[in-house]
Amino acid sequence: MLSRTFPRLAPPPEANARFAVVVVALWFWILGWGAAALSGPGGERWWLCLAAGPIAWVALLIGWRLRWRLAAQWLLLAALSVVCLLAWQGAFFGTSTVLVLAVLVVFAGWSMGIAEAALVAGAVVLLGGGLAYQGRTHWEQVLIVGYVMLFLLWLTFRMLHSYSAQMLQLQHSLDELGRHKKQLGVLFQAVEQSQDSVLIVDLQDRLVYANQAFEEHSGLQRSAIVGQTSLAQAGLGPQERMQVQDAVQRGQVWQGVVNSRRQDGVQVTESVRIAPVTDPDGDLSHLLEIRQDISELLEAERRIRHLQHVDAVTQLPNRKALLQRLDMLLQQQPASPQECHALLLLEIDRFQKFIDARGSQWSDALLQAFVARLQSLLPPSARLARTSASQFAVILERVGKTRQGARMHSYAVAEELQQGLGSIVCLQEVPETVQLSCSAGFSVFPFVEPGLQADAGDHVLRRASVALSQARHQGGGQVHAYSEALAATAQRRIELEKGLHVALQEGQLQLFVQPQVDMMGRVVSVEALVRWQHPVNGMVDPAEFIPVAEDTGLVVPMGDWVLEQTCRLLSDPRVQQGGYRVSVNVSAVQFQQAGFVRKLQELIQRTGVDASRLTLEVTESLLLQEVEQAIQKMVSLRALGVHFALDDFGTGYSSLAYLMRLPIQEIKLDQTFIHDLTPQSHGAVLVEALLMVAKGRALRVVAEGVEHKAQAQLLQAWEPGILCQGYLFSRPLPASEWLQAPDLSGPQALRTW
């Protein structure tokens, strides 16, 4: 309870002890020598009084050399001892003795603490009790001295308590001031180091404070502008100043964007916030103004908006800007209900080859030269945009009153552009003339497609892209217009792609075989074919879904499935016993896969088939790229026993050149040579030459597309060991049906035309 009422009395500081020791030592010295002078020389009392001087000197020396609190203890003990001896020899309660004892009690409390003062007071009372017991004084005097000592202790305690409370309060105030000073220092440094201009203005519009950022941004010296007027709220008009006054009067913050001019005349855009500052009573006293230079930020935003709509290489509008322009044209009310526009897409053929051969920097320079030439060829009303790496869009506005007229005009413009863009001078490093060809596709709009309520920019671009895709598939350098038939074809390809994914997952693919017969009409080998049995649409034509599979990459999983089924067919006991050979076509995409050899080797080991009965049919397209790598793979598979056949032999350009290098065992004559084959036909000479080449290399020959008996007889007359494959002998039939025939090599195994 006392600790809550009175604070704990801390020991007096060293400064108090120093002051008390100096004062009391001098006083004790003077008092002792004065008493010695009055008592006369000689005697014990005279010597005891003279001892006050050395005692005082020793106390001062101890305080000066060591510690003043230690000096106070020495002075207290020595002085108390001298006074006690004097009191024991003479009258205890003389005036001088009581005065000295009182001073010593106060001195002990002030220099060392209340506990030391209580010990001194207790020693005095004990001294008085001893004297009264010896009969040297009266007990009443001892009681009076005890009351005096108690009063002095209480008075000393109150003094020390008040002093300690003041010291604690002072220390608390100093700590608070230190914290406030530190906080103010941090705030000041934060404001000074802020990148934004900070101003403080009084109600008379005089500048009270400006930070370093304002000095740097404005070019004005703070020492010269503090105290001046009309420096704040620069760039604000009269109406904005009234808005500021209304906002700060309501205690709100005003915020806005203003344009101002710096000291050097540069125009800047700043974001300004003006907030009221109130005094402790809540009255408005100052205004705080914060300015942030947002000129660079606005420029960056403008640049970003520019890049969102402009191509960085050619500085043409990009795809997004093109779609916005198309939508705007479609939303505008045309001058004539029959007025038509056209969107023309131009794409540089085989542009990726330029990038691969010369690099992106040279290709960018070529694109810039291409755009410059294209802009010179276009009519002034045409709008040009870049939609992809090598694709450009041209909007031809008001090109015809009818769709047919607009189509004819657009076709003429596209052909004129193709002719003018055939030769481009690239100015990168050394000027170089580059021969180009472009594919073009266009669509006339507005045109509301079936199932839609209105035309839109993305629909127009999609239709033109369909036309461009058709022009590319025609070999490049072509112009094609959009038609509903093209849209149906594109939609059909999308449906086939989606359906192929499902077919691979749900097992809709089936393995068919088509027999290959010798001159005796016996089945010697079969070709494995893939067929797609759609659960709703029935059998899908391979000419439809196989090109889609090759374009989308689905030919790889589909080819893996066909190889798996072919090896299972080869592992059938009847096929093994008959020694039949099975050939299967492998696409170039599948064969070029890095793990093709390893996968086929694992498949052969897993199924346990005789690899020498497996023939892989490859086309000349396999040899157009990475020839050495393809030959290395063929050699690796030949080591396993696998045979190779060159499919569509004679239709390409490099077959004869590579024939001597390829590890093949069979060639297949394309059906284009067999279709009109007669002894007098032009193709007969070529077929005979191909058969002679095969005979010279000891290669098996298979003729595809044999549909008439005369064709088979002529081929067998030229080459008795030739194998014939075609509708004359059998259509492709399910592999399971062929395996169910009583004799796999006999007539029962054939499904005739």
Side-chain angles (χ1 to χ4, degrees):
M1 181 66 70
L2 292 176
S3 63
R4 298 179 181 177
T5 307
F6 302 102
R8 182 177 63 87
L9 297 181
E14 190 76 7
N16 287 7
R18 180 177 66 249
F19 176 77
V21 168
V22 172
V23 173
V24 173
L26 294 175
W27 172 80
F28 186 67
W29 179 16
I30 295 171
L31 181 64
W33 282 18
L38 293 175
S39 62
E44 294 181 359
R45 296 186 62 184
W46 184 74
W47 289 105
L48 287 172
C49 290
L50 288 179
I55 291 173
W57 299 337
V58 172
L60 294 174
L61 182 61
I62 292 174
W64 178 56
R65 297 299 299 271
L66 298 177
R67 287 186 352 183
W68 290 102
R69 289 178 60 83
L70 184 61
Q73 294 175 359
W74 155 257
L75 182 60
L76 180 63
L77 292 175
L80 186 61
S81 300
V82 171
V83 173
C84 290
L85 290 174
L86 290 174
W88 192 266
Q89 292 179 0
F92 174 62
F93 295 111
T95 304
S96 59
T97 303
V98 174
L99 177 61
V100 171
L101 292 174
V103 171
L104 291 177
V105 171
V106 175
F107 169 68
W110 187 257
S111 62
M112 289 177 287
I114 193 64
E116 287 77 0
L119 290 176
V120 173
V124 172
V125 174
L126 290 175
L127 174 61
L131 292 174
Y133 182 76
Q134 293 292 329
R136 294 173 179 267
T137 187
H138 298 288
W139 287 102
E140 293 82 357
Q141 292 179 335
V142 175
L143 183 61
I144 292 172
V145 172
Y147 285 149
V148 172
M149 295 295 107
L150 183 62
F151 173 75
L152 289 175
L153 284 176
W154 177 81
L155 182 61
T156 303
F157 173 78
R158 293 297 301 174
M159 292 174 59
L160 290 177
H161 175 268
S162 176
Y163 175 78
S164 179
Q166 291 177 2
M167 289 297 102
L168 288 175
Q169 184 176 3
L170 179 60
Q171 185 63 40
H172 178 72
S173 299
L174 291 176
D175 293 341
E176 287 292 327
L177 288 175
R179 285 194 295 270
H180 291 164
K181 182 179 179 181
K182 186 176 180 180
Q183 292 177 354
L184 288 175
V186 172
L187 292 175
F188 178 77
Q189 291 299 324
V191 173
E192 277 294 303
Q193 298 175 14
S194 173
Q195 299 298 318
D196 301 334
S197 300
V198 180
L199 305 175
I200 299 179
V201 186
D202 62 14
L203 298 182
Q204 285 73 40
D205 199 24
R206 291 191 299 266
L207 185 63
V208 177
Y209 168 79
N211 68 344
Q212 180 67 26
F214 176 78
E215 184 175 307
E216 295 174 355
H217 294 165
S218 65
L220 300 173
Q221 296 293 328
R222 287 185 286 180
S223 59
I225 60 176
V226 172
Q228 296 186 10
T229 60
S230 302
L231 290 175
Q233 302 183 19
L236 273 68
Q239 184 177 1
E240 292 173 326
R241 289 178 179 267
M242 292 180 59
Q243 294 175 356
V244 171
Q245 293 298 326
D246 293 340
V248 298
Q249 290 297 334
R250 295 193 303 268
Q252 299 177 352
V253 178
W254 182 88
Q255 182 173 358
V257 177
V258 300
N259 295 317
S260 59
R261 191 176 298 276
R262 297 189 318 197
Q263 189 71 12
D264 55 3
V266 177
Q267 188 80 16
V268 295
T269 303
E270 295 178 311
S271 174
V272 181
R273 291 171 59 91
I274 301 178
V277 179
T278 58
D279 57 19
D281 297 331
D283 298 329
L284 181 65
S285 62
H286 295 81
L287 297 180
L288 174 65
E289 182 174 335
I290 301 177
R291 288 176 171 261
Q292 181 182 17
D293 188 353
I294 59 174
S295 302
E296 295 184 358
L297 178 62
L298 294 177
E299 177 62 22
E301 292 178 351
R302 186 198 65 79
R303 181 63 179 169
I304 291 173
R305 289 194 298 269
H306 176 76
L307 293 177
Q308 287 178 342
H309 296 82
V310 175
D311 175 63
V313 176
T314 61
Q315 298 303 309
L316 292 176
N318 58 12
R319 182 188 183 92
K320 183 177 182 180
L322 172 68
L323 290 174
Q324 290 179 352
R325 179 60 184 174
L326 291 174
D327 288 333
M328 185 181 69
L329 284 175
L330 291 170
Q331 292 171 3
Q332 289 177 350
Q333 182 66 28
S336 171
Q338 300 297 327
E339 197 168 43
C340 296
H341 314 290
L343 175 64
L344 173 65
L345 293 183
L346 286 170
E347 184 168 23
I348 303 175
D349 295 330
R350 297 174 294 279
F351 183 73
Q352 185 62 41
K353 291 187 176 181
F354 290 107
I355 299 177
D356 296 339
R358 307 297 294 274
S360 58
Q361 187 175 3
W362 186 91
S363 301
D364 289 344
L366 177 63
L367 285 176
Q368 293 167 358
F370 179 85
V371 169
R373 173 68 66 85
L374 181 58
Q375 289 175 330
S376 66
L377 297 173
L378 288 174
S381 60
R383 296 180 181 270
L384 181 60
R386 185 187 183 191
T387 56
S388 67
S390 58
Q391 186 180 110
F392 298 86
V394 180
I395 299 178
L396 302 173
E397 300 182 13
R398 301 178 178 84
V399 291
K401 299 296 183 179
T402 63
R403 287 182 54 81
Q404 184 62 28
R407 286 165 65 96
M408 294 178 62
H409 181 79
S410 301
Y411 196 92
V413 171
E415 285 192 325
E416 182 180 352
L417 292 177
Q418 281 185 329
Q419 295 176 2
L421 296 171
S423 178
I424 302 296
V425 178
C426 181
L427 300 178
Q428 178 70 9
E429 298 177 355
V430 179
E432 179 181 356
T433 302
V434 182
Q435 301 299 324
L436 298 178
S437 66
C438 298
S439 298
F442 65 89
S443 174
V444 175
F445 67 97
F447 171 68
V448 181
E449 301 177 59
L452 298 178
Q453 296 180 353
D455 202 359
D458 57 338
H459 300 326
V460 177
L461 182 58
R462 176 180 53 80
R463 295 196 298 267
S465 299
V466 170
L468 177 62
S469 177
Q470 182 64 24
R472 287 199 304 262
H473 284 135
Q474 290 178 351
Q478 304 293 322
V479 180
H480 212 285
Y482 171 82
S483 65
E484 289 76 1
L486 285 180
T489 302
Q491 183 63 30
R492 175 60 176 168
R493 289 179 64 88
I494 293 176
E495 293 176 356
L496 287 174
E497 180 180 352
K498 292 170 60 178
L500 271 177
H501 282 282
V502 178
L504 287 168
Q505 295 173 1
E506 298 184 356
Q508 298 177 8
L509 300 181
Q510 296 182 7
L511 185 71
F512 275 53
V513 295
Q514 188 172 23
Q516 298 172 345
V517 302
D518 61 9
M519 62 182 303
M520 305 300 296
R522 294 174 303 182
V523 178
V524 176
S525 59
V526 295
E527 179 182 3
L529 304 169
V530 61
R531 293 295 182 263
W532 178 9
Q533 182 67 39
H534 195 279
V536 177
N537 301 328
M539 192 66 70
V540 182
D541 188 354
E544 271 195 299
F545 73 83
I546 289 181
V548 174
E550 291 177 344
D551 291 341
T552 59
L554 291 174
V555 70
V556 175
M558 186 172 68
D560 292 342
W561 180 88
V562 174
L563 280 175
E564 176 84 22
Q565 301 302 315
T566 300
C567 288
R568 291 185 180 181
L569 178 63
L570 276 171
S571 64
D572 187 272
R574 299 189 62 188
V575 177
Q576 290 180 347
Q577 292 174 5
Y580 297 103
R581 180 179 303 280
V582 180
S583 60
V584 59
N585 186 274
V586 178
S587 70
V589 177
Q590 183 184 10
F591 191 82
Q592 290 169 355
Q593 294 292 309
F596 176 76
V597 175
R598 176 183 52 80
K599 288 195 298 184
L600 183 55
Q601 182 179 6
E602 294 175 354
L603 178 60
I604 293 173
Q605 292 176 352
R606 187 173 69 250
T607 56
V609 300
D610 182 3
S612 63
R613 298 296 179 181
L614 175 64
T615 300
L616 300 183
E617 297 182 4
V618 296
T619 59
E620 289 180 280
S621 61
L622 182 67
L623 305 173
L624 297 179
Q625 297 179 355
E626 301 180 353
V627 179
E628 299 300 331
Q629 184 178 356
I631 294 176
Q632 184 178 357
K633 287 184 177 182
M634 295 173 71
V635 171
S636 299
L637 292 174
R638 276 295 299 137
L640 299 176
V642 178
H643 285 217
F644 283 92
L646 190 60
D647 197 11
D648 300 335
F649 182 69
T651 60
Y653 301 98
S654 58
S655 299
L656 296 178
Y658 287 105
L659 186 60
M660 301 300 296
R661 297 183 58 192
L662 297 179
I664 61 174
Q665 291 72 47
E666 179 182 303
I667 61 173
K668 297 190 71 173
L669 297 178
D670 191 70
Q671 58 183 350
T672 56
F673 297 111
I674 311 301
H675 181 67
D676 298 323
L677 183 62
T678 62
Q680 294 78 26
S681 64
H682 296 289
V685 178
L686 182 57
V687 171
E688 285 188 276
L690 294 177
L691 291 175
M692 291 178 62
V693 172
K695 186 175 182 180
R697 285 289 313 275
L699 300 176
R700 295 190 305 272
V701 180
V702 177
E704 295 181 302
V706 180
E707 299 181 357
H708 305 286
K709 189 174 181 179
Q711 296 171 345
Q713 290 175 346
L714 182 59
L715 289 170
Q716 291 170 354
W718 287 338
E719 176 55 50
I722 196 170
L723 299 180
C724 297
Q725 176 183 344
Y727 286 176
L728 174 63
F729 306 99
S730 176
R731 276 176 168 271
L733 66 157
S736 58
E737 182 177 331
W738 176 60
L739 291 175
Q740 292 173 2
D743 182 6
L744 299 184
S745 64
Q748 299 86 355
L750 302 177
R751 179 188 293 177
T752 58
W753 175 250

